[in-house]
Amino acid sequence: MSDMSFERMIGQMTPSIYESLKQAVALRKWPDGRFLSEEQTELCLEAVIRYEIENNVPDENRVGYLERRTCGAGATGAGVSPEMAGLARDASGD
């Protein structure tokens, strides 16, 4: 696929096509059950990411988004007790 036709495809992609490609990448297969090749997976993922960037999809809705969690404390871990952080005394030798 040439860069120009890929660019045009991204520009003309509808939300339903975006969702279909996103699902195909997640499941590694097309809606009809056929598996995606490695090249198809890469192209679909690139199309999905480009669509998300160009259409300002919120970060939490983007493919690959991971929410940061730290045992109920801030990202620094401040306020997490040693026990919650897994630093409690090893009682197995008692």
Side-chain angles (χ1 to χ4, degrees):
M1 178 180 291
S2 73
D3 288 337
M4 191 58 178
S5 63
F6 188 77
E7 293 293 327
R8 188 176 10 217
M9 181 193 74
I10 300 299
Q12 296 175 351
M13 190 183 304
T14 65
S16 63
I17 292 172
Y18 159 73
E19 289 296 334
S20 180
L21 290 176
K22 191 174 172 180
Q23 182 179 25
V25 169
L27 300 175
R28 299 289 196 264
K29 61 183 179 179
W30 296 112
D32 67 3
R34 290 178 296 132
F35 286 98
L36 274 72
S37 69
E38 188 174 326
E39 182 181 12
Q40 289 173 326
T41 302
E42 289 176 17
L43 286 170
C44 288
L45 184 56
E46 183 178 350
V48 166
I49 291 170
R50 295 274 302 277
Y51 176 90
E52 291 173 343
I53 291 168
E54 292 183 17
N55 290 279
N56 297 316
V57 174
D59 289 347
E60 61 273 7
N61 295 337
R62 292 186 182 194
V63 68
Y65 174 78
L66 296 174
E67 185 177 348
R68 292 181 110 178
R69 293 189 175 184
T70 59
C71 300
T76 64
V80 176
S81 69
E83 293 81 14
M84 289 293 292
L87 301 175
R89 177 176 66 83
D90 183 7
S92 64
D94 291 346

